[in-house]
Every structure is written in structure tokens, then in C-alpha cells.
Amino acid sequence: MKNPFYMKDIITITDFGRAELEYLFRVADNIIEDPLRFSDILKGKILGYAFFEPSTRTKLSFESAMKRLGGQTVGFSEPSKTSIRKGESFKDTLKMLEVYSDVVVVRHPADGAAKYAAEVCDKPIINGGDGKFQHPTQTMLDLYTIYRELGHIDGLVIGILGDLKYARTVNSLLLGLTNFKPKKLYLISPPLLRPREFILDFLSSSNISFEFTERLSDVISELDVLYVVRIQKERFPDIMEYNKVKGAYRVSMRTLMDAKDSLKILHPLPKLDEIAPEIDNTKYALYYKQAQYGVFVRMALLLSILLEEVQ
């Protein structure tokens, strides 16, 4: 298959189909199997990053990915220490970073910020998470983690637990799963935090079977994958709304008494108290390995964006 990512913007997961995602998975597999072969392949290339919102894994994994490929990084993660503080516009900040870079990762709290960046910049833009709905590279690594660890995504029963309304990782993952054929999705949350209607409509139009439940215990025995997200306090428009649901869910060893031995638990991180610490070192926990896979997937993506042919 011809490289489908060459010089492309990565704005939303819905811009890419199954064949394109599986292409990316194969590149990531190749990197894992022989990382030294790729260690200098992007020498002379520069990744720019503009993070207008806090980040640990997304920022550091992109930096790690670029440096493991022989490239370099420039950018900022504290807007208060840039010319933005002097009143420089979002557009001008991006245009300057574009001059210094070959590809730019943008993270922003506003919906549509990455799309706007792609419209005003000529270099490829990667959405490192914007607003409440889009985090395409997180979805790519989430799907890859399931594919790599379980061997497939089709036919699995997947539970998604927590804040399904405001968590962009969840919104993006639900959209990304429509490229595959899971047996069933269980959407586990209080009614207040169920996914928005346009997400549910997208699932329905893609023939994805899903069911709401408020109790993890009702479905835990069926699950192959449990994807957990924290309650997104920073995205609630009303603190009173947040206070109604904070601490609503906690996965403990007792919760997993009826789980399959093969169950895998994913979490985009950071996690707070929604997963008990004793789970971290069990056979169920996959979230630290998931973060490791994030580096390989982002290496595969940078390679595919910047090189027309990826061997």
C-alpha cells in the first residue's frame, strides 16, 4: 500500500480508515522489531510543538519519538513564557514555529484549534489533543495497543468507563473504533456523563453495537478490554456538575473478581483514584505498556508523514 500519511495533516481520527490505520500498525511493528534500523532515518528533520495546555505523555512521547529517529525538537509547553504573553496571535505563533520546523504538533483547549492551525500553516500539523473531541494520535496508540496485545480488534467486547462526555480520548476512541468490528461496546457511566448524541449517531450509522450501563459489575465478566478514563474536572462548564459525579467509579481487585483472566485494562493517563494502585502490577494492567506503545506509534506516524516511502 502506498504511504497514506505522507505530508498529511492529522486532525481527526475520522480522516483515516481501517487500511490506513493498519498501515501505521505495520510500520510500528517494524520499528519494534528492529529499532536500530530507524535510529537516524530523520536526521536533519525538526519537530515543532506548540502546547497551550498541560501535557506529559503526549509531549514527551513525541519528543522521544523524534529523537529516537535521529531528529530534533523545538517548541514550548508554557505559553506564558512566549511572545503570546506580549499579545502575539495564535496564527503568528504557529507561523513562526512552522518556519523552524518540518512538522508541528499542536495541543490546545479549544475545539477546532488544530483544524485552524492546518488552515493557516503549510507544514503538516498533528493534533496533539484539542477541545473535548479530538485526540487522534492517542486513538491510534490505543487501537494499536489492543491490536498488538490481543492480536485483533474485531469481535472483542470492550467496556469504556468514566467520563464519556468530556474526555476527548473517549470521544476520539469511539470514532476510531468504527473502523473495526467489535462485538459490543459497553458505555459505563452515570447518565450525566454519557457520550454526546453525535458520537452515538456515528456509532449507530457505523453498525456498532453498544449498550449503556451504570454498573461495571453488571458487565465485567463479558469484557475483553476495559478502557478507563478519569473524570475530566477541567472540562466541566459547571463545578457543581463535576461535584455530582467525582469519585463515581473506582476499579479495584474486588471489582475484577468476575473478570476474564485475559482482561486487559487501558487508561490514557494521568490516572487519579479511578484505578486502585494494587492493580498496577497485575496481569490486567496494560496502561504503562500502552504509554510505551505510544512512542512507537508516534515514531511510525512521524516517519510516514515526513518520508514518502517507509521501508
Side-chain angles (χ1 to χ4, degrees):
M1 179 182 182
K2 186 178 178 181
N3 178 2
F5 294 97
Y6 180 58
M7 298 305 291
K8 292 285 183 67
D9 298 313
I10 312 298
I11 305 303
T12 172
I13 195 66
T14 55
D15 289 338
F16 304 98
R18 178 171 180 150
E20 293 154 318
L21 293 172
E22 290 180 340
Y23 172 93
L24 191 69
F25 295 171
R26 288 192 295 273
V27 177
D29 282 344
N30 291 339
I31 293 170
I32 290 172
E33 289 163 13
D34 189 4
L36 289 178
R37 181 159 68 93
F38 300 91
S39 59
D40 285 319
I41 199 167
L42 291 186
K43 187 175 182 179
K45 299 291 186 180
I46 297 176
L47 168 73
Y49 59 88
F51 278 55
F52 295 83
E53 194 177 42
S55 171
T56 302
R57 278 147 297 278
T58 302
K59 176 181 175 294
L60 293 181
S61 66
F62 266 113
E63 286 191 290
S64 177
M66 193 62 173
K67 290 175 180 179
R68 287 170 185 265
L69 294 168
Q72 300 179 61
T73 65
V74 297
F76 63 86
S77 55
E78 293 186 62
S80 62
K81 295 182 179 180
T82 71
S83 291
I84 294 167
R85 187 174 181 181
K86 303 174 185 177
E88 184 174 59
S89 69
F90 181 46
K91 175 184 176 180
D92 283 357
T93 300
L94 292 170
K95 294 297 287 183
M96 288 302 95
L97 188 56
E98 177 186 31
V99 169
Y100 309 139
S101 314
D102 298 288
V103 58
V104 179
V105 182
V106 177
R107 186 182 185 96
H108 201 283
D111 295 325
K115 184 174 185 294
Y116 174 77
E119 290 170 353
V120 300
C121 293
D122 297 320
K123 301 282 180 63
I125 297 294
I126 300 174
N127 186 350
D130 69 345
K132 299 179 289 296
F133 305 114
Q134 306 297 341
H135 201 340
T137 67
Q138 179 68 46
T139 299
M140 289 169 177
L141 76 89
D142 291 342
L143 293 172
Y144 180 73
T145 300
I146 298 171
Y147 154 83
R148 180 83 184 181
E149 290 293 316
L150 283 82
H152 56 95
I153 300 171
D154 296 340
L156 297 178
V157 178
I158 301 173
I160 304 182
L161 171 71
D163 184 349
L164 313 189
K165 182 177 183 180
Y166 294 108
R168 62 187 170 206
T169 53
V170 168
N171 286 306
S172 190
L173 177 60
L174 288 172
L175 296 174
L177 281 167
T178 62
N179 287 298
F180 300 89
K181 299 177 181 178
K183 182 178 180 180
K184 189 162 193 175
L185 300 183
Y186 282 109
L187 305 178
I188 311 161
S189 74
L192 188 64
L193 292 181
R194 286 179 179 173
R196 295 165 191 265
E197 283 301 318
F198 85 91
I199 298 286
L200 299 177
D201 290 343
F202 200 90
L203 291 175
S204 296
S205 65
S206 302
N207 297 315
I208 300 293
S209 174
F210 64 88
E211 183 178 322
F212 299 115
T213 181
E214 294 181 44
R215 292 162 51 93
L216 175 59
S217 58
D218 289 345
V219 299
I220 188 65
S221 63
E222 297 181 50
L223 301 183
D224 299 299
V225 174
L226 175 61
Y227 190 97
V228 183
V229 291
R230 65 187 173 88
I231 306 298
Q232 311 275 304
K233 180 180 181 181
E234 68 275 19
R235 304 202 191 284
F236 275 71
D238 184 343
I239 192 63
M240 295 299 292
E241 187 181 3
Y242 167 75
N243 287 332
K244 292 177 184 177
V245 294
K246 69 177 181 178
Y249 292 104
R250 180 175 170 83
V251 181
S252 66
M253 289 304 297
R254 183 173 181 179
T255 312
L256 302 178
M257 286 177 58
D258 296 323
K260 295 179 180 179
D261 285 343
S262 57
L263 174 71
K264 299 301 180 186
I265 301 175
L266 279 70
H267 193 303
L269 304 176
K271 62 184 176 70
L272 304 180
D273 58 356
E274 60 273 9
I275 297 179
E278 63 261 26
I279 292 177
D280 291 353
N281 296 317
T282 68
K283 61 189 175 184
Y284 302 111
L286 199 55
Y287 28 87
Y288 298 129
K289 201 167 187 180
Q290 178 185 358
Q292 182 182 18
Y293 284 142
V295 176
F296 296 119
V297 169
R298 287 171 172 137
M299 288 174 72
L301 188 61
L302 290 172
L303 273 178
S304 301
I305 290 172
L306 293 173
L307 298 181
E308 187 170 2
E309 294 186 11
V310 181
Q311 301 296 326

